C-alpha cells in the first residue's frame, strides 16, 4: 500500500528544497555575474562607492527633509518693488514673523515700526511665507493687508520654523534687488522691543562714514548644533556635519550694513543652507571671511527685561515684547523718552 499522504508531503518537501536552491543560485548569480560586470576592474565587491567627505558644505544631491530647499527659484507672490525708487533709506527694518500674526504687525506699525517717528529715513518691511492652503483666507487677508499698508513681501515657501533661513534670505534678496542703496538693515523678530533711535544715533551714527562689511548684534560663539531630536533646535548631522558653528549674532535682532545683503545672498547660492538662520548667517560670513563687529555690551539684550524707561532708553533690543505688552509700555517709552533719565 502506498501512503499518498506521504508522497504528497515528500513532493512538497522536494519543491521547497528546489525553490531554496533556485533562489540561492539566483542570488549568487546576481552578485557575481551582474556586479562583476558593472564594477570597474580592480574594485572588489566589498568596497562601497566613494562617499562625500563629511565636511563638504556644498549643496548635496540628496536633501534631508529638515534642510531648507535652496537654492530654488522662489517667486515673490507679494512684492514692493518700487518702495526704494525715490528714497535712500538709512535703515531697513526687516521684520520676521508668522503669516497669521497680523496683530503683531499692526502693533509694530503703531509702535517702533512707525516710519514717521524718525528723523532719518527708516523703511519697514514684513517677511512672510505661505500656508498649507494657498487659496485659503490667510492668503486673501495678507494680500488685502499688503494693499492697505504696502509693507509686506512674500515668497512661495512654507512658513515654518525650519524654513526661517529662507525668510531671511528672501530679505537679503529683496534688499539686493529692490533696495540696494539703503545704508543699514536690522533683522528683527516680531516679539521684540526695538529702540530705533538708540540704534540710529548711538550705534550706526548717520554722521559717520558708511561702514561696509559690518555685522553686529549679540555675538554668540563656541556653540554647536543640538543633535537630539528633543530640542526645538535639532540639527541632524546630515544637515550640518560640523560640531561647532562659527561665531554668529543671536537671531531675534541683528544689524548689518546693506552691502552685506548682496554678499550673503550671493554666497548662500553655493553653500549648504541650514535651518538655524542666525547660525547660517555666521556660516555665510565665515565663508566670506568677514568677521563680526562687536558692539558695546548690553545694547542687544537677548532676554526679557522688566520695563524701565531709563534702562530701555539706553539699549537697542529686548526680547518678549509683543502685542499687548509692547503697546502697554510704548506710550511711556516714546512720549516720555527723555524725561527723568540722564
Ligand atoms: C563637494 O561636493 C560637490 C558635489 O556634491 C563637488 O562638486 C565638490 O567638488 C565637493 N567639494 C569638495 C571640496 O570635495
Ligand atoms: C535706489 O536704488 C533703486 C534700485 O535699487 C533705484 O531704482 C533708485 O533710483 C535708487 N534711489 C536713489 C535715490 O538713488
Ligand atoms: C505714526 O506716527 C504719526 C505721528 O508721528 C501718526 O500720525 C501716525 O498715526 C502713526 N501711525 C500709526 C500706524 O500709528
Ligand atoms: C520648506 O519650504 C519648502 C517649499 O515650500 C517645503 O517644500 C518644505 O517642506 C518646507 N520645509 C519644512 C521643514 O517645513
Ligand atoms: C567644518 O569643518 C571643516 C573640517 O574641520 C572645516 O574645514 C570647515 O571650515 C568647517 N566649516 C565651518 C562652517 O565651520
Ligand atoms: C557672486 O559673485 C561672483 C563674483 O564675486 C559672481 O561671479 C557671481 O555671478 C555672483 N553670483 C550671484 C548669484 O550673484
Amino acid at each position: 500500500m502506498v501512503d499518498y499522504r506521504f508522497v504528497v508531503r515528500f513532493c512538497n518537501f522536494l519543491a521547497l528544497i528546489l525553490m531554496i536552491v533556485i533562489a540561492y543560485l539566483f542570488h549568487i548569480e546576481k552578485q557575481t555575474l551582474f556586479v562583476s560586470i558593472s564594477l570597474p576592474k580592480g574594485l572588489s565587491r566589498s568596497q562601497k562607492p566613494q562617499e562625500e567627505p563629511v565636511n563638504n558644505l556644498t549643496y548635496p544631491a540628496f536633501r534631508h527633509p529638515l534642510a531648507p530647499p535652496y537654492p530654488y527659484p522662489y517667486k515673490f507672490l507679494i512684492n514692493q518693488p518700487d518702495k526704494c525708487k525715490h528714497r535712500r533709506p538709512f535703515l531697513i527694518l526687516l521684520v520676521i514673523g508668522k503669516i497669521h500674526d497680523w496683530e503683531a504687525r499692526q502693533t509694530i506699525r503703531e509702535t517702533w515700526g512707525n516710519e514717521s517717528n524718525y528723523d532719518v529715513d527708516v523703511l519697514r518691511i514684513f517677511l512672510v511665507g505661505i500656508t498649507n492652503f494657498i487659496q485659503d483666507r490667510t492668503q486673501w487677508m495678507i494680500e488685502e493687508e499688503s494693499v492697505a499698508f504696502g509693507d509686506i513681501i512674500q515668497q512661495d515657501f512654507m512658513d515654518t520654523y525650519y524654513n526661517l533661513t529662507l525668510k531671511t534670505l528672501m530679505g537679503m534678496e529683496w534688499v539686493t534687488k529692490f533696495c540696494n542703496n539703503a545704508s543699514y538693515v536690522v533683522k528683527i523678530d516680531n516679539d521684540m522691543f526695538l529702540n530705533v533711535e538708540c540704534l540710529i544715533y548711538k550705534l550706526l551714527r548717520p554722521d559717520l562714514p558708511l561702514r561696509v562689511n559690518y555685522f553686529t548684534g549679540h555675538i554668540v560663539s563656541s556653540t554647536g548644533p543640538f543633535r537630539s531630536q528633543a530640542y526645538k533646535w535639532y540639527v541632524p548631522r546630515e544637515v550640518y556635519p560640523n560640531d561647532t558653528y562659527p561665531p554668529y549674532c543671536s537671531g531675534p535682532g541683528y544689524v548689518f550694513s546693506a552691502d552685506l545683503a548682496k554678499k550673503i545672498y550671493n554666497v548662500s547660492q553655493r553653500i549648504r543652507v541650514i535651518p538655524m538662520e542666525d547660525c547660517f548667517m555666521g556660516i555665510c560670513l565665515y565663508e566670506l571671511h568677514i568677521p563680526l563687529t562687536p558692539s558695546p555690551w548690553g545694547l542687544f539684550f537677548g532676554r526679557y527685561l522688566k520695563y524701565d524707561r531709563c534702562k530701555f532708553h539706553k539699549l537697542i533690543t529686548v526680547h518678549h515684547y509683543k502685542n499687548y505688552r509692547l503697546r502697554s509700555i510704548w506710550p511711556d517709552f516714546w512720549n516720555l523718552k527723555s524725561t527723568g533719565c540722564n
Side-chain angles (χ1 to χ4, degrees), residues 63 65-69 74 130 156-163 166:
R63 185 181 62 80
L66 290 183
Y74 294 110
I130 57 173
D156 53 349
F157 54 80
M158 296 296 294
D159 201 326
T160 58
Y161 182 71
Y162 272 90
N163 271 346
L166 300 182

Coordinates of all heavy atoms in Angstrom, one line a residue, residues 63 65-69 74 130 156-163 166, ligand 4:
R63 N 18.8 65.8 -0.3 CA 18.5 66.8 0.7 C 17.7 66.2 1.9 O 16.7 65.5 1.6 CB 17.7 67.9 0.1 CG 17.4 69.1 1.0 CD 16.5 70.1 0.3 NE 15.2 69.6 0.0 CZ 14.2 69.5 0.8 NH1 14.3 69.8 2.1 NH2 13.0 68.9 0.4
P65 N 15.1 66.1 4.9 CA 13.8 66.9 4.9 C 13.9 68.1 5.8 O 13.1 69.0 5.6 CB 12.8 65.8 5.5 CG 13.6 64.6 5.7 CD 14.9 64.7 5.1
L66 N 14.8 68.2 6.8 CA 14.9 69.3 7.6 C 15.8 70.4 7.0 O 15.8 71.6 7.5 CB 15.4 69.0 9.0 CG 14.5 68.2 9.9 CD1 15.1 67.9 11.3 CD2 13.1 68.9 10.0
A67 N 16.4 70.1 5.9 CA 17.3 71.2 5.3 C 16.4 72.0 4.3 O 15.7 71.4 3.5 CB 18.4 70.5 4.5
P68 N 16.4 73.3 4.5 CA 15.5 74.1 3.6 C 15.9 73.9 2.2 O 17.1 74.0 1.9 CB 15.8 75.5 4.1 CG 16.4 75.4 5.4 CD 17.2 74.1 5.4
P69 N 15.0 73.7 1.3 CA 15.3 73.6 -0.2 C 15.9 74.9 -0.7 O 15.2 75.9 -0.7 CB 14.0 73.2 -0.8 CG 13.0 72.9 0.3 CD 13.5 73.6 1.5
Y74 N 12.5 80.6 -5.7 CA 11.2 81.1 -5.1 C 10.7 82.3 -5.7 O 11.5 83.2 -6.1 CB 11.4 81.3 -3.6 CG 11.8 80.0 -2.9 CD1 13.0 79.7 -2.4 CD2 10.8 79.0 -2.7 CE1 13.3 78.5 -1.7 CE2 11.1 77.8 -2.1 CZ 12.4 77.6 -1.6 OH 12.7 76.4 -1.0
I130 N 4.3 81.1 2.9 CA 2.9 80.7 2.6 C 2.4 79.7 3.6 O 3.2 79.0 4.2 CB 2.7 80.1 1.1 CG1 3.7 78.9 0.9 CG2 3.0 81.2 0.1 CD1 3.5 78.2 -0.4
D156 N 7.0 82.0 -2.1 CA 6.2 80.8 -2.1 C 7.0 79.6 -1.4 O 7.0 78.5 -2.0 CB 5.8 80.4 -3.5 CG 6.9 80.3 -4.5 OD1 8.0 80.7 -4.2 OD2 6.7 79.8 -5.6
F157 N 7.4 79.8 -0.2 CA 7.9 78.6 0.6 C 7.1 78.5 1.8 O 6.4 79.5 2.2 CB 9.4 78.8 1.0 CG 9.7 80.1 1.7 CD1 9.4 80.3 3.0 CD2 10.2 81.2 1.0 CE1 9.7 81.5 3.7 CE2 10.5 82.4 1.6 CZ 10.2 82.5 3.0
M158 N 7.0 77.3 2.4 CA 6.2 77.1 3.6 C 6.7 77.9 4.8 O 7.9 77.9 5.1 CB 6.2 75.6 4.0 CG 5.5 74.7 2.9 SD 3.8 75.1 2.7 CE 3.2 74.6 4.3
D159 N 5.8 78.6 5.4 CA 6.1 79.5 6.6 C 6.3 78.6 7.8 O 5.4 78.6 8.6 CB 5.0 80.5 6.7 CG 5.5 81.7 7.5 OD1 6.3 81.6 8.4 OD2 5.0 82.8 7.2
T160 N 7.4 77.9 8.0 CA 7.6 77.1 9.1 C 8.9 77.4 9.8 O 9.8 78.1 9.3 CB 7.7 75.6 8.7 OG1 8.8 75.5 7.8 CG2 6.5 75.1 8.0
Y161 N 9.1 76.9 11.1 CA 10.3 77.2 11.8 C 11.5 76.8 11.1 O 12.5 77.5 11.1 CB 10.2 76.5 13.2 CG 11.4 76.9 14.1 CD1 11.5 78.1 14.6 CD2 12.3 75.9 14.3 CE1 12.6 78.4 15.4 CE2 13.4 76.2 15.1 CZ 13.6 77.5 15.6 OH 14.7 77.8 16.4
Y162 N 11.5 75.5 10.6 CA 12.7 75.0 9.9 C 13.0 75.7 8.6 O 14.1 75.5 8.0 CB 12.6 73.5 9.7 CG 13.2 72.8 11.0 CD1 12.3 72.5 12.0 CD2 14.5 72.5 11.1 CE1 12.9 71.9 13.1 CE2 15.0 71.9 12.2 CZ 14.2 71.6 13.2 OH 14.7 71.0 14.3
N163 N 12.1 76.6 8.1 CA 12.3 77.3 6.9 C 12.7 78.8 7.1 O 12.7 79.6 6.2 CB 11.1 77.3 6.0 CG 11.1 76.1 5.1 OD1 12.1 75.4 4.9 ND2 10.0 75.8 4.4
L166 N 15.0 80.6 4.9 CA 14.5 81.0 3.6 C 13.9 82.4 3.7 O 14.0 83.2 2.8 CB 13.5 80.1 3.1 CG 13.9 78.6 2.9 CD1 12.8 77.8 2.3 CD2 15.1 78.6 2.0
Ligands
LIG4 C1 10.1 74.5 3.4 O1 9.5 75.0 2.3 C2 9.5 74.2 1.2 C3 9.0 74.9 0.0 O2 7.7 75.4 0.3 C4 8.7 72.9 1.5 O3 8.8 72.0 0.4 C5 9.4 72.2 2.7 O4 8.6 71.1 3.1 C6 9.5 73.2 3.9 N1 10.3 72.6 4.9 C7 9.9 72.5 6.2 C8 10.8 71.7 7.1 O5 8.8 73.0 6.6

